[in-house]
Amino acid sequence: MTRLLRAGFFRLAHSRGVRFCFVLTLICAFLFAREVRQEVSLGEIWFLPQMMIYAVMFSLAVGREMGHRAKNKLIAGVSRSRMYWSELAAALGVAAVCYLLFSGIVLLANLRLLEHTPISLILWLWLGFGGITLGMTAVFVTVSLLAPAKTLAAVLCLVLVTALYVTALPLGQMLGEPEFHAVAGTVGGKPFYREEPNPDYVAEPWRSVLELYRAVNPFAVREDFGRAVHPFLFYGESWERAKAATAETMGPEFMERMLTEEEVSMLRRAPLCALAHAVCLVLAGWPIFCRRGFR
């Protein structure tokens, strides 16, 4: 198993697709570092392209291996289970290296944030995005291991990323609707005010289903991360100027802002949710892969 894992990691690390992914990871890292430093947001300029890069790279690399090479491994006596877990582990290793490279560049370019941003927030964001990266990589690899062709695997992974992205914002808006809304007016010249049920409110049991889906949607989680970290980020290259401007507009007490209990709960839950659905898919795909045929 060790030799198989080492060979898989070596193959992925030296493939053209992975090298190209490393270059794009560097580009995305510099763009994101610049965005955090100047535009002060966690926008889509890096997250969506990076997910698509991972989807294409891993689906093609793993799908190519599932052709004649997989058949040769079976002839050589390699079991399907060892093949399944070694491909998954090698891909996760490559994804981890890419993420460490990405996060290291972003952190080094924004060391000034450590002066006023809670270390716990940075740690949970790092773990959260790491969980999303590894979780989505596991999903892409599993789809590629089960798909009959590498091209089909790439298309399925891209469709999955697109669907998650397109549904993230409307889903947040739907779940953000209040259960009641205020109605004000006059009757006979007398003003009145009352609360009426909101027809756009999503009630149970669909609310629980949508909340679960949103908890594992990486783009929805990224939006939550952005809302949590945004008050700690400020415009301008100089932290002193930003601090002075913030004190004038919002008051000095804003500089002592702490994370709310809801935000802390979300940050702690995010890495687990990002990995939980991937673990379920990987475990479900294992027996399916052990029964698939190879051409």
Side-chain angles (χ1 to χ4, degrees), residues 7 36 61 108 122 125 127 134 201 267:
V36 171
L108 289 175
I122 296 176
L125 287 175
L127 291 175
L134 296 180
Y201 178 76
L267 290 169

Side-chain angles (χ1 to χ4, degrees), residues 131-140 142 160 164 212-218 221 270-285:
I132 290 174
T133 300
L134 296 180
M136 291 304 296
T137 298
V139 171
F140 298 148
T142 302
L160 174 62
L164 291 172
L212 177 61
Y213 171 69
R214 192 178 190 281
V216 300
N217 187 320
V221 175
L272 298 177
C273 292
L275 293 173
H277 73 284
V279 170
C280 293
L281 180 62
V282 168
L283 292 177

Side-chain angles (χ1 to χ4, degrees), residues 16 22 27 56 62 81 83 93 113 142 147 149 163 219 221 229 275 282:
R16 292 181 180 179
F22 281 137
I27 295 174
V56 174
V62 175
S81 293
M83 193 187 308
L113 297 180
T142 302
F219 296 97
V221 175
V229 75
L275 293 173
V282 168

Side-chain angles (χ1 to χ4, degrees), residues 66-83:
M66 290 299 103
H68 293 294
R69 296 177 184 176
K71 194 172 182 180
N72 292 336
K73 288 181 180 179
L74 292 175
I75 296 175
V78 178
S79 67
R80 294 171 183 265
S81 293
R82 290 173 60 194
M83 193 187 308

Side-chain angles (χ1 to χ4, degrees), residues 99 107 114 117-131 225 259 267-268 271:
Y99 180 69
L107 185 60
L114 298 178
T117 306
I119 299 298
S120 60
L121 174 59
I122 296 176
L123 178 61
W124 283 115
L125 287 175
W126 185 78
L127 291 175
F129 281 123
F225 285 170
L259 291 171
L267 290 169
R268 291 177 176 175

